[in-house]
Amino acid sequence: MAYNHGYAGKLPVCQQENGYLQQQVLIEADISIGPVSITATRSEAVDFAWPMWYDSSTMLAGLGKPEVDPWGFLLPLAPLVWVGILTALLVGPTAVFLSSSCFSMKTSRWSSYLSNIYGFIRVLLQQDISVPADWWWERMVFGIWMMMTLVLTRSYAGNLMSSLAVRHIPQPYQTLRDVIDDPSATMIWQKNSINAEYLRVVKSGIIREVADLEDEGRLAYHTQMEYPRIVDTLVRQGEYVLFGIDVLLRNLMAKDFTRKGQCEFYTSRERHFPFSASIISQKDNPILPAMHNRMLALTGFGIFEEWFKTSRANSTKCLHPPKTITVNASLSLTNLWGMFVALAGGSVVGLLTFCLEVLTFRGIETFSVSTYDYTTA
């Protein structure tokens, strides 16, 4: 069933002329052959039957290629868990240091505190550690920490193995803001449509920001007849986004799935310009009450909605494409470069710490020698 193709009465429509939208008056007809979106301007020229279709506009974009998150080794544990581990590495050694200072005969020194931190880190990294046998409570603290780290490390290893087998399928353009903030993205809107007209007259808001993209060469207008070619050649690449009526975009995805057997597009979760549509007739048409009754029956029994689902094969196949897939393949350097960055960063920090320790040791040694010479003299 087509929409916006049949009109009744004197229905004004939009036409592009010299950069501005002008109105034309179509020839008179009895009724429309398909649902027409309801607007205040059109209601002045024709009568609408009971709304039979509700829809809105959204965006159609190409699915990205499956990829592994290079920082996926951080994902097995939630951010709060990482914060909890770091907190435990500070609180645990502090508690041991204070307890040793208050209840034992040991001399409280910062070297003892640093030694405790070093011991907790060794346990976390599953390395050996020696605990003095003077006080059993220290063994108890380290034993509890070992049990905790055992659960953490086993959970981390299991989740990491699972996450490395998962490929993420990017769906970056979910809102208009996502498209505006991406300098490489270009939007395509329907030429001579109501949405395009609103885009040219809006004065503020995010739609105004979208309109300003035309000055940057990131906004283009095309007709519905050009959509199949545009979707196949431009939108599929990932840098072009098609903005249009949801049902039209769903039909484009269904047609592509029927042809290729796989989902290569997705629609954004954000919706704009909600509208209702119905068939129309001339003003004060005597058959309008009968049209109302027919529309109520169609919508009340869900017949019209079922027509939309069955009019196009595979119309619901790609409505919710998967965001992740599981594969069994070798990992490459492009998938794991995040770990190598962490390794390089840790090595640099270790080298700087080593240099600081050497300089500190030499400074202390020089100060000790100079003090000894001064005292001897």
Side-chain angles (χ1 to χ4, degrees):
M1 181 177 291
Y3 54 91
N4 288 359
H5 288 290
Y7 301 91
K10 296 180 179 179
L11 176 63
V13 295
C14 299
Q15 184 182 23
Q16 185 80 8
E17 183 178 334
N18 298 328
Y20 297 95
L21 293 174
Q22 305 293 337
Q23 286 189 338
Q24 274 192 342
V25 178
L26 296 183
I27 61 174
E28 293 187 1
D30 294 324
I31 62 173
S32 66
I33 62 173
V36 178
S37 57
I38 302 174
T39 65
T41 304
R42 292 175 177 178
S43 297
E44 296 176 357
V46 296
D47 281 335
F48 284 88
W50 186 268
M52 59 188 302
W53 172 38
Y54 299 89
D55 208 342
S56 58
S57 296
T58 184
M59 294 185 296
L60 176 72
L63 287 172
K65 300 299 182 182
E67 60 183 25
V68 175
D69 189 349
W71 299 101
F73 64 94
L74 298 175
L75 300 180
L77 300 180
L80 287 179
V81 178
W82 289 110
V83 173
I85 293 174
L86 295 177
T87 303
L89 289 176
L90 296 177
V91 174
T94 302
V96 173
F97 173 74
L98 294 177
S99 300
S100 300
S101 302
C102 297
F103 302 107
S104 70
M105 301 300 295
K106 296 179 181 179
T107 304
S108 62
R109 296 180 301 174
W110 283 107
S111 60
S112 176
Y113 176 67
L114 297 177
S115 177
N116 290 331
I117 294 180
Y118 181 64
F120 272 72
I121 295 177
R122 288 181 64 86
V123 172
L124 181 63
L125 299 179
Q126 299 182 345
Q127 297 180 353
D128 64 314
I129 182 176
S130 60
V131 181
D134 299 339
W135 298 93
W136 281 96
W137 68 268
E138 292 188 36
R139 292 175 174 267
M140 183 72 69
V141 171
F142 276 99
I144 295 174
W145 177 242
M146 287 179 180
M147 292 180 59
M148 176 181 171
T149 55
L150 178 64
V151 175
L152 283 174
T153 53
R154 291 296 184 269
S155 301
Y156 175 83
N159 290 339
L160 180 61
M161 292 179 63
S162 300
S163 63
L164 289 178
V166 172
R167 297 292 188 271
H168 297 270
I169 303 177
Q171 299 180 15
Y173 304 122
Q174 296 294 341
T175 65
L176 288 177
R177 176 59 57 191
D178 296 334
V179 180
I180 294 173
D181 293 341
D182 186 356
S184 63
T186 301
M187 294 196 72
I188 299 174
W189 286 50
Q190 182 180 345
K191 187 177 182 180
N192 299 336
S193 65
I194 297 177
N195 290 348
E197 179 181 5
Y198 181 72
L199 194 66
R200 294 186 180 277
V201 299
V202 66
K203 301 299 182 182
S204 61
I206 192 169
I207 305 300
R208 179 68 260 174
E209 296 183 46
V210 173
D212 293 338
L213 295 179
E214 187 173 9
D215 298 333
E216 304 176 16
R218 295 174 52 197
L219 178 63
Y221 297 95
H222 293 275
T223 63
Q224 287 190 23
M225 298 296 293
E226 299 175 295
Y227 278 6
R229 176 185 60 82
I230 291 172
V231 168
D232 194 48
T233 58
L234 298 180
V235 180
R236 192 184 303 276
Q237 298 176 4
E239 295 183 355
Y240 285 81
V241 179
L242 178 60
F243 187 92
I245 299 175
D246 183 61
V247 67
L248 175 62
L249 303 185
R250 287 165 53 183
N251 287 339
L252 290 172
M253 288 194 300
K255 184 183 298 185
D256 185 77
F257 180 86
T258 302
R259 185 163 55 96
K260 294 198 170 185
Q262 60 182 1
C263 296
E264 297 186 358
F265 301 94
Y266 70 96
T267 55
S268 64
R269 62 173 178 266
E270 188 177 65
R271 297 290 189 268
H272 294 274
F273 308 131
F275 67 91
S276 57
S278 181
I279 61 175
I280 56 179
S281 67
Q282 296 178 354
K283 278 289 186 179
D284 302 322
N285 194 329
I287 68 172
L288 189 61
M291 295 170 58
H292 279 304
N293 294 333
R294 299 302 187 275
M295 294 302 101
L296 281 172
L298 287 174
T299 56
F301 288 101
I303 297 177
F304 189 76
E305 184 66 24
E306 187 64 22
W307 284 348
F308 262 102
K309 292 181 180 179
T310 58
S311 61
R312 172 69 64 181
N314 302 314
S315 61
T316 61
K317 287 292 185 179
C318 300
L319 294 184
H320 304 286
K323 296 183 179 180
T324 59
I325 58 174
T326 303
V327 298
N328 184 13
S330 301
L331 297 174
S332 63
L333 183 61
T334 56
N335 304 136
L336 303 176
W337 62 264
M339 288 188 288
F340 288 97
V341 170
L343 175 62
S347 300
V348 171
V349 173
L351 179 61
L352 294 176
T353 305
F354 171 74
C355 296
L356 181 62
E357 288 178 346
V358 171
L359 294 176
T360 303
F361 176 77
R362 290 183 177 178
I364 294 175
E365 187 179 40
T366 302
F367 177 77
S368 299
V369 171
S370 61
T371 303
Y372 174 77
D373 292 342
Y374 175 78
T375 304
T376 304

